[in-house]
């Protein structure tokens, strides 16, 4: 990734790039596990991570996030304009490099970036009211998160001449499970571990799966109370009430079970492929605290 940015020949871009926190590199790991470490696979892994990093730079501007992965976000430290332009530099560089890969791979990744953007738009617009529709939630997380992981798995399988349909399905379900777990961690993990305030999603107006499950189970008075707290800064008592209702309704556990079921679907897609490393990715992704 650094080599790609260095090749631009602009010291400011490189300086800013060095300040972007590295993250888990899930997409790169997945590509290298599926396609092994061929030169093309390494190229694809770095391109997908550049695009992913770009999308998070833009996402932090959209979400007005102060931190990313536990450190000050680029938008918070250098302002929105710098964060947006650095995102544009990373993702246009990724797209340039993509043109050197087979057209099936380039098309798959480019198409996923359109889905990513449509998903982000949907996420933003859904935040204007309390969404109770689970299909809409799953459509949004498929586009926003799973589509790029699906394209990464498809493309890696294509480069390795493996069954692209099976790996794409693995990637899609892995991506959906990943986002559901991310949404659970917003509720269960401490703000120190997450690097962002806990229950942040609800404050931002995001009605994630645990909230959808909880809402289903609440009586009418509690439903009204939950709606009244939507997209607001919560007091200690209000946060405690929400956490109490999560316990009473078992919605967090139900969401984790659903993520596990998606994980099993992912594994089922590649069961005949003899890929123990990909099983490990699913397990690590579900049992994690950030
Ligand atoms: C994080 O979601 C956001 C994404 C996974 C996708 C963001 C996509 C875009 C901004 C459009 C694509 C743009 C480019 C430049 C490629 P989140 O806010 O739920 O997660 P978080 O808690 O990690 O911020
Ligand atoms: Mg965000």
């Amino acid at each position: 990734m650094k080599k790609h940015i260095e090749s631009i020949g602009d010291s400011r871009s490189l300086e800013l790039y060095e300040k972007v926190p590295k993250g888990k590199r899930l997409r790169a790991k997945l590509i290298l596990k599926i396609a092994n470490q061929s030169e093309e696979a390494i190229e694809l892994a770095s391109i997908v991570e550049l695009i992913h990093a770009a999308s998070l730079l833009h996402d932090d501007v959209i979400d007005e996030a102060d931190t990313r992965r536990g450190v000050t976000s680029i938008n918070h430290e250098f302002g929105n304009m710098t964060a947006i332009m650095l995102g544009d530099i990373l993702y246009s560089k990724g797209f340039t490099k993509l043109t050197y890969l087979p057209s099936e791979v380039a098309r798959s990744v480019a198409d996923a970036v359109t889905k990513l953007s449509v998903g982000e738009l949907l996420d933003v617009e859904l935040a204007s009211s309390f969404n109770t529709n689970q299909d809409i939630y799953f459509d949004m997380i498929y586009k926003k998160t799973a589509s790029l992981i699906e394209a990464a798995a498809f493309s890696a399988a294509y480069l390795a001449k493996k069954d692209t349909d099976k790996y794409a399905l693995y990637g899609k379900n892995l991506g959906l499970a990943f986002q559901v777990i991310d949404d659970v961690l917003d509720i269960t993990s401490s703000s120190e571990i997450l690097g962002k305030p806990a229950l942040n999603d609800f404050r931002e107006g995001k009605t994630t799966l645990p909230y959808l499950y909880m809402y289903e189970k609440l009586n009418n008075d509690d439903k009204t109370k939950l709606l009244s707290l939507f997209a607001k800064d919560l007091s200690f008592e209000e946060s405690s009430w929400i956490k109490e209702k999560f316990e009473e309704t078992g919605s967090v556990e139900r969401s984790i079970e659903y993520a596990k079921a998606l994980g099993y679907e992912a594994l089922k897609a590649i069961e005949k492929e003899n890929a123990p490393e990909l099983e490990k990715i699913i397990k690590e992704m579900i049992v994690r605290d950030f």
Side-chain angles (χ1 to χ4, degrees):
M1 290 168 77
K2 189 172 167 192
K3 226 175 64 201
H4 291 328
I5 303 304
E6 275 169 349
S7 76
I8 300 169
D10 177 58
S11 60
R12 182 63 178 149
S13 300
L14 187 60
E15 194 183 340
L16 286 167
Y17 167 74
E18 299 275 24
K19 299 215 171 246
V20 176
K22 302 224 160 25
K24 298 181 274 293
R25 304 290 196 225
L26 168 74
R27 294 152 188 82
K29 280 186 198 151
L30 180 64
I31 290 166
L32 298 177
K33 293 271 191 277
I34 295 175
N36 299 319
Q37 317 231 344
S38 70
E39 213 169 294
E40 273 191 327
I42 294 170
E43 196 68 359
L44 174 67
S46 64
I47 292 167
V48 170
E49 288 291 347
L50 278 179
I51 293 171
H52 175 58
S55 77
L56 294 182
L57 283 164
H58 286 188
D59 178 68
D60 283 343
V61 172
I62 293 168
D63 289 345
E64 299 176 5
D66 297 350
T67 59
R68 167 64 61 186
R69 294 158 179 159
V71 298
T72 308
S73 59
I74 299 288
N75 50 304
H76 193 61
E77 192 169 346
F78 301 98
N80 284 346
M81 291 186 249
T82 296
I84 290 171
M85 293 323 301
L86 182 62
D88 287 346
I89 291 166
L90 300 194
Y91 108 94
S92 53
K93 189 70 201 174
F95 267 61
T96 303
K97 291 289 166 187
L98 203 51
T99 64
Y100 293 88
L101 292 180
S103 60
E104 288 80 357
V105 168
R107 209 175 303 120
S108 160
V109 174
D111 188 44
V113 178
T114 308
K115 288 205 185 88
L116 214 67
S117 308
V118 171
E120 183 81 349
L121 177 65
L122 194 56
D123 195 21
V124 167
E125 299 202 330
L126 279 175
S128 62
S129 62
F130 190 101
N131 166 47
T132 54
N133 185 323
Q134 291 178 22
D135 291 342
I136 295 179
Y137 166 81
F138 281 109
D139 179 50
M140 184 275 288
I141 68 167
Y142 164 65
K143 288 175 178 145
K144 183 182 78 165
T145 305
S147 63
L148 187 59
I149 300 177
E150 178 183 41
F154 168 93
S155 300
Y158 185 88
L159 293 181
K161 300 191 171 45
K162 292 183 176 170
D163 187 326
T164 49
D165 284 349
K166 286 183 183 168
Y167 284 91
L169 189 57
Y170 167 90
K172 178 181 176 178
N173 283 310
L174 167 68
L176 291 171
F178 179 83
Q179 189 60 50
V180 171
I181 294 292
D182 229 47
D183 293 345
V184 163
L185 290 174
D186 184 78
I187 295 156
T188 58
S189 213
S190 71
S191 44
E192 291 76 30
I193 292 176
L194 279 183
K196 59 186 173 185
L199 297 191
N200 194 46
D201 285 342
F202 197 60
R203 193 184 57 83
E204 283 182 356
K206 295 181 181 174
T207 321
T208 59
L209 192 61
Y211 292 92
L212 291 173
Y213 283 160
M214 162 154 76
Y215 186 77
E216 244 180 31
K217 291 256 169 78
L218 292 179
N219 64 34
N220 284 342
D221 284 352
D222 284 346
K223 275 192 170 119
T224 310
K225 176 155 179 180
L226 184 67
L227 288 178
S228 77
L229 301 178
F230 175 72
K232 296 214 176 87
D233 282 329
L234 301 173
S235 68
F236 178 76
E237 284 73 24
E238 289 164 341
S239 300
S240 305
W241 180 83
I242 291 182
K243 288 193 172 172
E244 210 175 282
K245 291 295 157 189
F246 273 129
E247 296 239 338
E248 272 176 40
T249 56
S251 324
V252 166
E253 292 73 17
R254 193 176 157 202
S255 304
I256 295 171
E257 284 312 311
Y258 195 81
K260 283 187 183 158
L262 289 164
Y264 290 128
E265 282 301 310
L267 292 178
K268 221 168 75 194
I270 51 148
E271 66 188 348
K272 296 201 180 75
E273 296 291 303
N274 186 25
E277 294 284 351
L278 296 184
E279 287 178 27
K280 223 173 101 197
I281 288 189
I282 299 277
K283 284 181 191 131
E284 284 172 0
M285 189 276 305
I286 292 175
V287 186
R288 66 188 164 109
D289 53 10
F290 70 97

